[in-house]
Amino acid sequence: MGRQPCCDKLGVKKGPWTAEEDKKLINFILTNGQCCWRAVPKLAGLRRCGKSCRLRWTNYLRPDLKRGLLTEAEEQLVIDLHARLGNRWSKIAARLPGRTDNEIKNHWNTHIKKKLLKMGIDPVTHDPLHENNNQQAKPAEEISSSPANHHHIVPEANSEENHSSSSSSPTENCSSTTTTTTTTADDSELIDNICIDETLLNSLLMDDDQPPLVDAISWNNNNSNDNLPQAPAAAENHGETVPSLPSLEDDCSFLFDCQDFGVHDYGLDYCFSDIEFGTVLNSLEMTDKH
DNA sequence: AATAGGAGCAACCGCGGAAAG
DNA sequence: ACTTTCCGCGGTTGCTCCTAT
């Protein structure tokens, strides 16, 4: 009856991952692709639960992950989506390429939540906490100065979802920050692609299976770049046939995570230019902490 | 220079739905 | 149809680093 046990609870290691463990996991997924997490620890030679492997991969080792703080545009998008989706972090993360649900969740709890509270906005309901607080929350001109602000969804356009439409739009109230983080043109385009069309955004709410909007855009662009090495090709250096990885895994940024153990270990050094290695090294500094 | 407190983030825990047998 | 397990998600914890005193 049923399936095999997920993993032997005895002897399963917990806590922070070591570089060696990361190497094993990356090496395994590079050659075998993502499948059957239950079998991964055993096959990869890891004393970890499959669940832990999946988490490590999706939150830290995945090829398409961005590093660093969310940009102002991304932050604004998170706020907008949270106003509509609530704490459905995975759904929100699906609309932000390179960001994980865990990352967004952490960023929400540590940054955005406080920011909204400071502005007199309830981070749960996106309603003003108090009328007075709301008045003094943010000068209108400061709000409108947000790069992404003009993309905000008009609440009235979605009465069905808009539980807070009776008051000022949460997304209108919470758009600005006092910091002057640089927002790139790409970020603005990101918001454009997602928020400019109310119908589009509504469809996000309706169709969970819809592919990531920005993913499609950015990955189409990436995939059109002939300079990018392809993961399967790299895996062939191991002399193994690799089941076709999802297209996202084709991004060369995946290899950045290999730096700790040396990209040469994978026979992938030919893939990088000096500039790319610089990026790799920067990324390494982050992973070295572990 | 030492230390306490806060902030940020990676990882774990537990639950629910889906799927295998 | 039912049991068992897998997978993914959201909430929470605890460690590490940073900053203020």
Side-chain angles (χ1 to χ4, degrees):
Chain A
M1 271 296 200
R3 294 180 171 179
Q4 301 287 316
C6 166
C7 55
D8 184 6
K9 298 293 180 187
L10 297 175
V12 171
K13 189 185 169 190
K14 291 182 182 179
W17 280 64
T18 65
E20 183 62 27
E21 288 176 313
D22 283 345
K23 179 180 179 178
K24 285 180 179 177
L25 182 57
I26 290 173
N27 196 25
F28 177 81
I29 295 179
L30 189 66
T31 54
N32 298 283
Q34 288 181 66
C35 66
C36 194
W37 288 111
R38 178 176 64 90
V40 166
K42 196 173 184 177
L43 295 173
L46 292 164
R47 289 174 55 227
R48 292 274 181 175
C49 177
K51 206 172 176 177
S52 181
C53 293
R54 182 183 61 81
L55 211 63
R56 180 65 178 171
W57 174 258
T58 55
N59 286 340
Y60 202 81
L61 301 174
R62 226 174 66 196
D64 55 324
L65 288 181
K66 285 184 186 173
R67 299 289 186 193
L69 290 172
L70 272 71
T71 65
E72 196 172 339
E74 286 175 318
E75 198 170 276
Q76 183 55 50
L77 179 56
V78 169
I79 293 169
D80 287 343
L81 290 171
H82 185 272
R84 293 169 169 275
L85 299 170
N87 291 0
R88 294 159 75 182
W89 305 115
S90 63
K91 294 287 181 288
I92 294 172
R95 309 306 161 185
L96 283 93
R99 302 298 186 183
T100 68
D101 54 352
N102 207 37
E103 187 179 13
I104 292 171
K105 181 172 59 182
N106 282 336
H107 191 76
W108 179 271
N109 288 327
T110 57
H111 293 95
I112 302 176
K113 216 171 178 178
K114 291 173 188 171
K115 191 183 290 183
L116 292 179
L117 286 170
K118 198 175 178 181
M119 295 164 63
I121 297 166
D122 188 336
V124 177
T125 63
H126 292 255
D127 286 331
L129 286 170
H130 307 290
E131 291 300 321
N132 289 341
N133 287 352
N134 188 42
Q135 291 290 332
Q136 51 189 239
K138 247 352 175 183
E141 60 274 15
E142 197 177 343
I143 292 171
S144 63
S145 69
S146 171
N149 195 53
H150 64 286
H151 303 297
H152 289 172
I153 302 101
V154 178
E156 286 73 15
N158 187 8
S159 57
E160 147 190 26
E161 287 279 336
N162 186 25
H163 58 278
S164 59
S165 60
S166 58
S167 58
S168 59
S169 166
T171 57
E172 288 173 349
N173 281 330
C174 56
S175 62
S176 77
T177 64
T178 54
T179 57
T180 55
T181 54
T182 307
T183 304
T184 65
D186 285 347
D187 293 330
S188 296
E189 285 175 18
L190 182 151
I191 301 293
D192 274 332
N193 289 328
I194 294 178
C195 297
I196 200 166
D197 187 347
E198 176 67 11
T199 306
L200 201 56
L201 211 128
N202 283 340
S203 71
L204 295 182
L205 305 173
M206 300 298 294
D207 182 8
D208 286 349
D209 295 330
Q210 180 177 343
L213 296 170
V214 188
D215 276 354
I217 296 158
S218 60
W219 280 101
N220 284 342
N221 291 341
N222 286 346
N223 290 340
S224 67
N225 185 346
D226 294 338
N227 295 327
L228 294 180
Q230 302 298 304
E236 283 172 10
N237 284 350
H238 289 277
E240 297 184 34
T241 304
V242 182
S244 59
L245 291 169
S247 60
L248 291 181
E249 271 65 60
D250 293 346
D251 186 358
C252 65
S253 63
F254 165 75
L255 301 170
F256 292 176
D257 293 307
C258 303
Q259 58 202 339
D260 281 25
F261 357 97
V263 176
H264 304 277
D265 292 346
Y266 297 89
L268 301 173
D269 38 342
Y270 70 93
C271 296
F272 295 99
S273 66
D274 291 342
I275 295 173
E276 285 168 333
F277 260 114
T279 309
V280 168
L281 291 174
N282 288 337
S283 178
L284 255 181
E285 290 176 6
M286 299 178 66
T287 57
D288 278 349
K289 291 179 182 178
H290 306 278

